[in-house]
Amino acid sequence: MNNIAPLNTDSLQTWLDYWSHVHVTGIDLGLERVIPVAEALGVTQPKAKVFTVAGTNGKGSTTTTLAAILNAQGFNVGLYQSPHIYRFNERVKLAGQEVSDQTLIDAFVLVDQARRQCDFSLSFFEATTLAAFVIFKQKQCDVWVLEVGLGGRLDVVNVIDPDVAVITNIGLDHTDWLGDTIEKIAFEKAGIIRPNIPVVFGGLQQLPLAIAKKAQDCQAKLHVVNRDYFYDNAADGQSWNFATSGLTLKFPVGQLALENISTAVAAILLSDLAVSQNAIAQGILNAKLQGRFEIEQIRGKTVIFDAGHNPHGVEFLLKQLRKFMEYNKQYTEVITVFSMLTDKDIESVVKLLKNTVLKWKIAPLTVARAASMDQLRSALQGETVEPFENVQAAFISALEETKNNQLILVCGSFHTLEAVWEYLEECQ
């Protein structure tokens, strides 16, 4: 264990590097080390309402919408999400704004003191999540909105008991960590459920037995989409309807996926917080998330950034892409800047995209779990592929070569997007 604290305590990056090396692995599921440190920090029983959101896809959109609605109502909201796209500070927000480097540094000092006091090492994710909790406690947030990083049952976020538990959907992802079947993964996600609390399942799939059983064992009231609550687009295209057996509400169309917006609305209505219909509507309009079918004009070219990195996420990306090309008929071809992580289902993602993508510009990522070029090439056999040394070079090539009838799609991983954002930032 590396116990040497950062010498330059004024640098956020130094602290992030430090947390990357304190523990033997970046991911280490289990709460045995985390709970004593969390208790030493006094963050395990917040004087706040807590929404915890788990799931395979849609967690970012759901937590963003929850926080936006609660901010619109005037609550002091702490929002924790991961991973980030460009700046680490994106992971921790107060009243919709990223916290400062200094706020994070001060929290890291306290987390490091507590873990030394307990004589435990912490993984990067554990330490940074506890820092978010420290900040929310210090700032006396009324509501904590927490996104689970990996799984649920053994994730560090689960040291906090939620007042409302949300599971967006279940897909085959992180199978090395969570299991190789939907039911095994559902068992892990269901670990966030607590006795006698409302639980929302927003997945457009059959309710996994593991979630139903956990809710039943906890006597938690389970609310399932298309069973206990419903949503549909209104005929005018500008609004949508949310309904339960007892009410029907009309809301404006937001920028994020409606299935995730409706999941957030269900969670808000099931909480005992007083939130007006106007605040819900305003929050839906305010909710935006970088890297979710984000359309940008860059040097005269249309570029779509999407962080979809598994089959479910890519299916949703394709649905949005087809709708976009239907309304913007000048675009008939798609060039993609593409890379993925080695532990993702690369072949399934490629299979979904290949009938839409004309040319693949591929490059390796610069992170530990990056897929090799051989892996990417193997999945892309039979496709038109152009390899590059790095993602930035692939993106530059796409900008230079793309014709007026073509759009650029940057996808495959948050890290792929991050590499392009770094390049664009350097160019400013």
Side-chain angles (χ1 to χ4, degrees), residues 371-389:
S372 68
M373 289 296 273
D374 286 344
Q375 263 185 294
L376 295 173
R377 281 197 185 94
S378 173
L380 287 161
Q381 278 183 351
E383 298 295 295
T384 304
V385 177
E386 197 175 349
F388 293 85
E389 278 188 19

Side-chain angles (χ1 to χ4, degrees), residues 27-337:
I27 298 172
D28 189 356
L29 293 181
L31 303 178
E32 298 84 4
R33 290 170 298 100
V34 176
I35 288 173
V37 182
E39 287 174 343
L41 290 164
V43 296
T44 55
Q45 295 179 306
K47 295 175 181 175
K49 291 294 179 185
V50 178
F51 292 78
T52 297
V53 181
T56 302
N57 292 287
K59 297 190 297 285
S61 297
T62 303
T63 50
T64 295
T65 305
L66 278 168
I69 290 169
L70 293 162
N71 281 320
Q73 184 61 47
F75 289 106
N76 180 13
V77 182
L79 170 62
Y80 175 67
Q81 298 172 304
S82 68
H84 60 278
I85 295 279
Y86 186 62
R87 290 174 304 281
F88 179 85
N89 311 53
E90 295 165 25
R91 297 184 182 217
V92 186
K93 295 188 176 79
L94 298 168
Q97 301 299 312
E98 296 170 19
V99 297
S100 68
D101 286 8
Q102 193 58 53
T103 299
L104 285 163
I105 290 165
D106 293 344
F108 285 148
V109 170
L110 294 175
V111 172
D112 196 42
Q113 287 171 351
R115 70 116 190 146
R116 288 167 186 275
Q117 178 187 323
C118 297
D119 197 24
F120 284 119
S121 64
L122 294 173
S123 71
F124 178 91
F125 188 73
E126 289 164 349
T128 53
T129 303
L130 289 178
F133 296 169
V134 167
I135 292 165
F136 297 161
K137 180 188 174 187
Q138 287 177 334
K139 302 298 182 182
Q140 299 181 322
C141 292
D142 305 315
V143 187
W144 297 14
V145 178
L146 308 178
E147 178 183 332
V148 171
L150 184 59
R153 184 175 65 94
L154 299 176
D155 187 274
V156 57
V157 165
N158 208 32
V159 303
I160 307 288
D161 291 333
D163 296 285
V164 181
V166 179
I167 301 172
T168 56
N169 55 57
I170 307 294
L172 288 172
D173 200 11
H174 298 296
T175 51
D176 291 350
W177 299 96
L178 304 179
D180 56 4
T181 69
I182 291 292
E183 283 298 332
K184 286 179 183 175
I185 294 171
F187 173 78
E188 296 298 330
K189 309 283 187 191
I192 67 169
I193 298 173
R194 298 295 195 276
N196 305 308
I197 67 168
V199 179
V200 179
F201 179 69
L204 301 177
Q205 63 192 112
Q206 188 173 349
L207 174 68
L209 292 173
I211 293 173
K213 184 178 186 309
K214 178 69 172 182
Q216 187 176 23
D217 291 347
C218 287
Q219 296 184 300
K221 177 60 176 163
L222 179 60
H223 300 261
V224 180
V225 67
N226 294 330
R227 188 192 79 181
D228 304 298
Y229 72 94
F230 306 85
Y231 66 90
D232 60 47
N233 283 301
D236 61 10
Q238 302 298 309
S239 60
W240 62 281
N241 301 310
F242 179 94
T244 66
S245 59
L247 85 167
T248 300
L249 301 170
K250 190 173 184 178
F251 294 115
V253 171
Q255 291 196 10
L256 302 178
L258 183 54
E259 67 179 86
N260 300 322
I261 292 173
S262 65
T263 301
V265 171
I268 291 284
L269 295 175
L270 288 166
S271 75
D272 59 5
L273 294 172
V275 181
S276 70
Q277 189 173 341
N278 283 342
I280 296 174
Q282 191 58 55
I284 289 168
L285 292 173
N286 292 346
K288 297 176 178 63
L289 196 56
Q290 199 173 25
R292 269 51 168 218
F293 205 77
E294 187 176 3
I295 304 165
E296 299 284 349
Q297 295 297 318
I298 300 171
R299 296 179 201 166
K301 305 294 171 70
T302 297
V303 183
I304 295 173
F305 295 92
D306 194 281
H309 52 268
N310 53 35
H312 183 278
V314 171
E315 282 173 359
F316 186 70
L317 155 63
L318 284 170
K319 198 186 296 181
Q320 291 175 295
L321 184 60
R322 289 186 191 112
K323 192 182 290 184
F324 178 81
M325 293 177 78
E326 197 178 303
Y327 284 107
N328 299 273
K329 296 190 186 299
Q330 69 269 35
Y331 299 114
T332 57
E333 295 172 346
V334 178
I335 309 298
T336 188
V337 175

